[in-house]
Every structure is written in structure tokens, then in C-alpha cells.
């Protein structure tokens, strides 16, 4: 049932799509998924429910469309290519630089930050979380790290990937839940410490024990 409205929505030109998604994005960012009013969104968009339901299957479908568009904006502001690192130090430095960029983009764009936080709100929003896209990038990154000795190889790949991905999601969830209470300097410090923890867990067991507090 949801596929037909989505197909119609995907065929809209950008201006007509923005007419619906812009007020929806503002509403979801301000009030989260549960607190957002579909009626208010449609009023701001100047659309009746009959018009809107030609392009959306419901509130969750509209939220998913907003998240997909926001994710594309985020991707355009970040380098997801993770160009080949020469050694372990360069690999971990690039990881730190990437997450520093993510952090800065979210600091500079409070709407994107609010939408990112809303993904952890409830079962409906968590089901919309772009796990597949993120996990694909995550797997590529781990494989690259293993190829240059930056990531340990003494555990089954599927087990290790699942462990690290779960850590990443839980760290992200924590930041989402505490975003408004953290100042910029504290967020930056914690991001660096989280990367250091990931390195301590992911590095080969025989890697030299060095101080990684300045990663990122």
C-alpha cells in the first residue's frame, strides 16, 4: 500500500516535493515524530488530506521521506569515500577527522541534529533508521582497516562487525539522548574519547599501547 504513494512522490519535481517536505521537516525537527501534527504539516503545506495521501501513506511514510532527504543532505556535506590509508596511524586519524566533520555539520545544522536524534524516539522511528546504508559503509571501513593492520583479525568477521556496529549505534544513541545537555567543547572531547575507545577495542592485540587522546 505504501509503495504507490512513494512512487508518485518520487516522480514529483523538487519544488512540489519541497512544498510537502519542508513543513514536515520543520515539524518533525521541532516536536519529534510522536509530537508532530500531521494536520499542522498539511495546513502549512496548503494541502488537504486527500491531496497529501496521494503522495504519502501516512505520518510514518512522510517521516521516512523527510529522513531520506535529510540523509542525502548530510551525505553531500561529508566524504564517505574513506580513501585508502597507508598505515594504522593514518587510518585512525582519518576516522577521527570524519567523525569531527559529522559533529561539526550537526552543530552547524540544528535541524539535521534534531532529526538525527528523533530516529531513536520509538519503534516506528527506529525501523526507519538507515541501518543498511550505514552498515555497508561500516563494513567497507573495517575491511580497509584490516587490510593495513589497523583492525584486528583474530575474531570471525561477522561477529566482530556486529560487535563494533552495536557499539557505534549505542554511542550514537547516547549522543542523541544527551545532545541538548552537551556543550560544543564537551561534545568534541567525548567524540575524541569514543574514537579512542573504539581504537582500543578494534586494534590488533599486539598493537603498541599508545596514548590516543588527540585522535580527531
Amino acid at each position: 500500500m505504501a509503495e504507490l504513494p512513494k512512487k508518485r512522490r518520487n516522480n514529483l519535481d523538487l519544488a512540489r516535493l519541497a512544498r510537502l517536505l519542508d513543513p514536515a521537516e520543520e515539524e518533525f525537527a521541532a516536536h519529534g515524530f510522536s509530537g508532530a501534527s500531521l494536520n499542522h504539516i498539511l495546513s502549512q503545506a496548503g494541502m488537504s488530506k486527500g491531496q497529501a495521501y496521494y503522495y504519502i501513506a501516512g505520518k510514518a511514510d512522510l517521516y521516512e521521506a523527510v529522513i531520506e532527504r535529510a540523509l542525502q543532505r548530510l551525505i553531500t556535506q561529508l566524504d564517505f569515500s574513506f580513501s585508502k590509508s597507508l598505515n594504522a596511524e593514518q587510518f585512525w586519524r582519518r576516522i577521527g577527522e570524519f567523525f569531527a566533520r559529522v559533529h561539526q555539520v550537526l552543530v552547524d545544522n540544528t535541524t539535521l541534529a534534531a532529526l538525527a536524534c528523533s530516529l531513536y524516539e520509538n519503534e516506528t522511528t527506529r525501523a526507519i533508521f538507515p541501518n543498511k546504508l550505514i552498515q555497508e559503509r561500516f563494513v567497507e571501513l573495517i575491511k580497509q582497516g584490516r587490510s593495513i593492520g589497523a583492525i584486528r583479525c583474530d575474531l570471525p568477521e561477522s561477529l566482530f562487525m556486529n560487535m563494533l556496529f552495536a557499539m557505534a549505534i549505542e554511542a550514537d544513541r547516547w549522543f542523541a539522548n544527551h545532545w541538548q545537555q552537551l556543550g560544543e567543547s564537551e561534545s568534541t572531547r567525548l567524540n575524541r574519547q569514543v574514537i579512542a575507545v573504539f581504537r582500543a577495542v578494534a586494534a590488533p592485540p599486539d598493537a603498541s599501547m599508545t596514548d590516543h587522546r588527540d585522535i580527531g
Side-chain angles (χ1 to χ4, degrees):
M1 291 292 291
E3 289 305 312
L4 186 55
K6 184 173 184 178
K7 184 176 180 179
R8 293 170 181 152
R9 187 170 67 241
N10 289 340
N11 288 330
L12 286 172
D13 60 60
L14 293 180
R16 293 183 67 192
L17 183 63
R19 176 188 169 193
L20 174 60
L21 296 191
D22 285 355
E25 180 178 284
E26 183 178 338
E27 182 79 2
F28 287 127
H31 303 289
F33 176 77
S34 298
S37 166
L38 183 57
N39 287 337
H40 185 255
I41 292 170
L42 298 184
S43 175
Q44 293 298 108
M47 300 176 70
S48 68
K49 283 190 175 181
Q51 290 172 314
Y53 276 92
Y54 187 75
Y55 298 110
I56 63 171
K59 184 177 174 181
D61 185 44
L62 179 57
Y63 175 79
E64 183 173 8
V66 166
I67 292 297
E68 287 177 354
R69 190 179 67 158
L71 181 61
Q72 289 304 314
R73 291 210 312 275
L74 180 61
I75 289 173
T76 61
Q77 297 180 62
L78 300 170
D79 177 13
F80 279 84
S81 62
F82 294 111
S83 56
K84 185 71 173 179
S85 299
L86 299 177
N87 53 52
E89 286 303 319
Q90 188 180 70
F91 175 84
W92 285 106
R93 187 174 299 112
R94 286 179 174 174
I95 296 295
E97 290 169 353
F98 172 76
F99 281 100
R101 287 198 302 274
V102 173
H103 170 71
Q104 192 58 53
V105 167
L106 295 179
V107 166
D108 293 341
N109 192 317
T110 55
T111 296
L112 277 178
L115 291 173
C117 292
S118 73
L119 284 166
Y120 293 103
E121 187 177 320
N122 55 39
E123 290 185 7
T124 299
T125 58
R126 285 193 292 271
I128 292 168
F129 196 98
N131 274 310
K132 184 177 180 181
L133 175 64
I134 295 174
Q135 197 157 20
E136 285 174 354
R137 297 290 198 279
F138 195 81
V139 168
E140 291 172 7
L141 195 59
I142 298 302
K143 287 183 176 179
Q144 182 189 133
R146 281 186 159 185
S147 72
I148 59 171
I151 301 290
R152 63 195 301 158
C153 299
D154 59 334
L155 291 171
E157 183 174 291
S158 60
L159 170 61
F160 190 56
M161 297 286 188
N162 289 339
M163 288 171 60
L164 288 185
F165 190 67
M167 285 178 60
I169 291 298
E170 287 308 312
D172 191 56
R173 188 200 307 271
W174 188 91
F175 276 101
N177 289 335
H178 296 82
W179 181 267
Q180 295 180 332
Q181 291 78 44
L182 297 174
E184 184 173 347
S185 61
E186 179 65 0
S187 294
T188 299
R189 184 189 72 80
L190 288 174
N191 265 287
R192 290 178 174 176
Q193 292 301 99
V194 167
I195 296 297
V197 169
F198 269 86
R199 181 170 184 173
V201 171
D206 57 350
S208 60
M209 301 299 292
T210 55
D211 190 341
H212 306 302
R213 287 178 295 177
D214 293 331
I215 290 174

